[in-house]
Amino acid sequence: MPKVPVMQAVVDVLKSEGVDVTFGCPGAAILPLYAAMEDSGIKHLIVRHEEGATHMADGWARTNGNVGVAIGTSGPAGTNMITGLYTAQADSIPILCITGQAVSTKLHQEAFQAVDIVDIAKPVTKWAVQVKEAAQAPWIFREAFRIARSGRPGPVLIDLPLDVQKQEIEWDPALDAPLPIPAVEPHLPRVERALDLLLEADRPLILAGGGVILGDAHEQVRELAELLGVPVQITLMGKGSFPEDHELFAGMTGIQTSQRYGNQSFLEADLVLALGARFGDRHTGALDTYRGERKFIHVDIEPTQIGKVFGPDLGIVSDTRLFLDALIDAARKRNAKKDYSEWVSRVGVLKQTLTRPDDYDTVPIKAPRVYREINQIFPPEAYFVTAIGLYQIWGGQFQTAHLPRHYQVCGQAGPLGWEIPAAIGVKSAEPDAEVVAVVGDYGFQFLVEELAVAAQYNVPFVIIMLNNEYLGLIRQAEGDAFGMKTEVDIHYDEYGTDNVKIMEAYGCSGRRVFEPGDLAETIEWARKEAVATSRPVLVEVMIEREANTARGIRIDAMIEPEPVPNA
């Protein structure tokens, strides 16, 4: 077997695992890997901050389901990646962070930029490991990809000392292949019991969580729903797993991202079949109200997720798609039928009556109007990324999504600044797709430097900014809990930071909108401008400064900031 540089073997592994683009920042401690990548055919985008690299890898992975790769040198490069690792872990996204490291013999001597990144990363990864022997490297990388993809997906980190990177090993890529991923199949008696519980219920709901999207089970959800005639709700992470214009769509339950009819449908349900959902606190609110007298079936690929928030009536450890295949098969074999038409009709009435308006024509612009325009202008095939703030809540309440992986949100960790690098990752995975980042004015500036990456590599997308010149979500929380507005106002001069000029400084373009009647024309301009310039384009929407979202601590007692019908 021939001898090759060990980093050449690593690059061979990356390519065979389906990695065609990486995001990173070179430095002295990682240069042997970059040398091996130089003529590999793997595209590389040089980022302006290592956190940006992790979020790009995250967006890439969310789009195609593969493992995204971020690369950094030693020391602060690794520590800058921690937020991205945490975000990926929280949302079950498979990414691989590769960090350079000082030479092995200097790690105990406080060498330049030497830090124990493995121990730092362990709490926010599925696996963090340092390669100590060169011959281990290709096998550690294979195992990292296997772990990232297996069970509940998630991030991994591999630390590479410089001296290890410089060695040679025996290696033949023709004899190598990815490690198999074990299937997590359901226990069939539990599948049969789940069907029993569904047929015993009078008002059942299917709850599609993020695991439906990660498990590519959206078609099975629709098949089951239509087979049995059971309404379907989604969680925020499950948005796009079921078409929102479907007769059986029953909205979203929650104390932030939710619809009024979604909460009421949930409250009237007597059984919930939860698929790949983790029962996050912003979804459930007060658990006594959420649980009520209804029964729960919880299906999850990760055993320790079941019972973590509350004990379900039936727990099933399984890949969501394999479970649904088995459940559909069981239902067909039994010729299982029950008339849920009265329940479906009731959900339909709630959808028509318990709504929130979005057709405002007032100035300043009200945020729901922005999402009305988004829903009317962009096709279902467009990809959206959005992060944390009032705009995430408005998006969950007002924006529609019909396709899996096309509505991407950092749901649990909620790092500010996620959208711009995530959009670059999405566009890198699907170069021909239309990509839109919906951002707030504050978070926009956290990783705004990654606009340079998009400009340098001709990565076009539209940015729609809701600008209230406030830390809007924190202002709302301060007002609710403390009756104050402390250190949340970021307004100065005419309208604070000139975000259009920021875009222009990076070689991009943008326009500011004050009138609701100008929204559609400006968004259409941005779509065309992004294609024409092959760069990001900003639509900055100046919304009312002290707008609030619907919110609460219980799903049966929401505070509505605006008048709503049938209140």
Side-chain angles (χ1 to χ4, degrees), residues 66-328:
N66 204 349
V67 181
V69 176
I71 305 172
T73 187
S74 57
T79 56
N80 283 341
M81 290 175 160
I82 295 300
T83 297
L85 288 166
Y86 163 44
T87 303
Q89 183 196 47
D91 288 347
S92 306
I93 307 302
I95 70 170
L96 165 62
C97 285
I98 305 171
T99 54
Q101 182 59 275
V103 297
S104 304
T105 56
K106 294 290 185 180
L107 294 181
H108 66 291
Q109 295 178 342
E110 300 185 13
F112 177 67
Q113 291 192 340
V115 68
D116 189 353
I117 192 61
V118 169
D119 272 0
I120 292 171
K122 280 180 179 177
V124 290
T125 56
K126 290 185 71 177
W127 191 43
V129 62
Q130 184 180 92
V131 179
K132 299 184 184 301
E133 299 291 341
Q136 287 186 297
W139 305 107
I140 285 176
F141 272 81
R142 286 293 188 202
E143 177 68 351
F145 277 92
R146 187 194 69 79
I147 290 173
R149 294 188 180 112
S150 296
R152 180 184 179 183
V156 292
L157 178 140
I158 299 177
D159 192 40
L160 298 171
L162 184 57
D163 54 321
V164 174
Q165 293 180 62
K166 292 181 177 180
Q167 297 178 36
E168 292 187 342
I169 62 169
E170 292 184 345
W171 174 255
D172 184 351
L175 303 177
D176 199 47
L179 300 176
I181 308 299
V184 183
E185 298 182 356
H187 185 50
L188 292 181
R190 287 184 177 260
V191 175
E192 295 288 347
R193 181 60 183 143
L195 183 56
D196 291 341
L197 289 171
L198 275 168
L199 296 176
E200 290 168 7
D202 295 318
R203 299 177 303 282
L205 280 177
I206 297 170
L207 177 63
V212 170
I213 292 175
L214 295 171
D216 292 321
H218 54 283
E219 292 181 358
Q220 285 80 0
V221 169
R222 182 167 181 166
E223 183 178 356
L224 176 67
E226 293 176 346
L227 176 65
L228 298 181
V230 176
V232 178
Q233 287 203 352
I234 56 173
T235 68
L236 180 62
M237 296 303 299
K239 198 169 175 67
S241 62
F242 194 82
E244 297 190 22
D245 56 358
H246 196 286
E247 177 192 12
L248 292 173
F249 181 70
M252 183 190 300
T253 293
I255 57 171
Q256 289 186 353
T257 54
S258 63
Q259 287 82 42
R260 295 176 66 216
Y261 68 85
N263 280 359
Q264 188 59 37
S265 297
F266 191 93
L267 289 166
E268 295 185 18
D270 61 1
L271 179 135
V272 176
L273 170 59
L275 304 168
R278 59 180 179 81
F279 299 116
D281 54 350
R282 293 188 304 161
H283 166 66
T284 67
L287 280 175
D288 56 345
T289 301
Y290 182 83
R291 295 184 67 183
E293 298 299 321
R294 61 195 60 85
K295 294 182 178 179
F296 287 85
I297 305 168
H298 188 191
V299 181
D300 203 285
I301 199 168
E302 169 54 49
T304 61
Q305 286 294 110
I306 296 174
K308 178 178 281 190
V309 178
F310 61 86
D313 296 86
L314 177 66
I316 302 173
V317 177
S318 177
D319 172 277
T320 51
R321 183 155 52 93
L322 296 179
F323 166 78
L324 288 167
D325 284 339
L327 185 62
I328 291 167

Side-chain angles (χ1 to χ4, degrees), residues 327-348:
L327 185 62
I328 291 167
D329 184 59
R332 292 192 189 282
K333 285 181 178 177
R334 282 202 218 176
N335 194 26
K337 292 186 182 299
K338 184 166 182 175
D339 186 4
Y340 295 119
S341 59
E342 185 176 338
W343 170 228
V344 172
S345 177
R346 170 62 177 163
V347 171

Side-chain angles (χ1 to χ4, degrees), residues 556-567:
D556 65 346
M558 295 287 285
I559 300 169
E560 296 290 339
E562 301 284 349
V564 291
N566 301 294

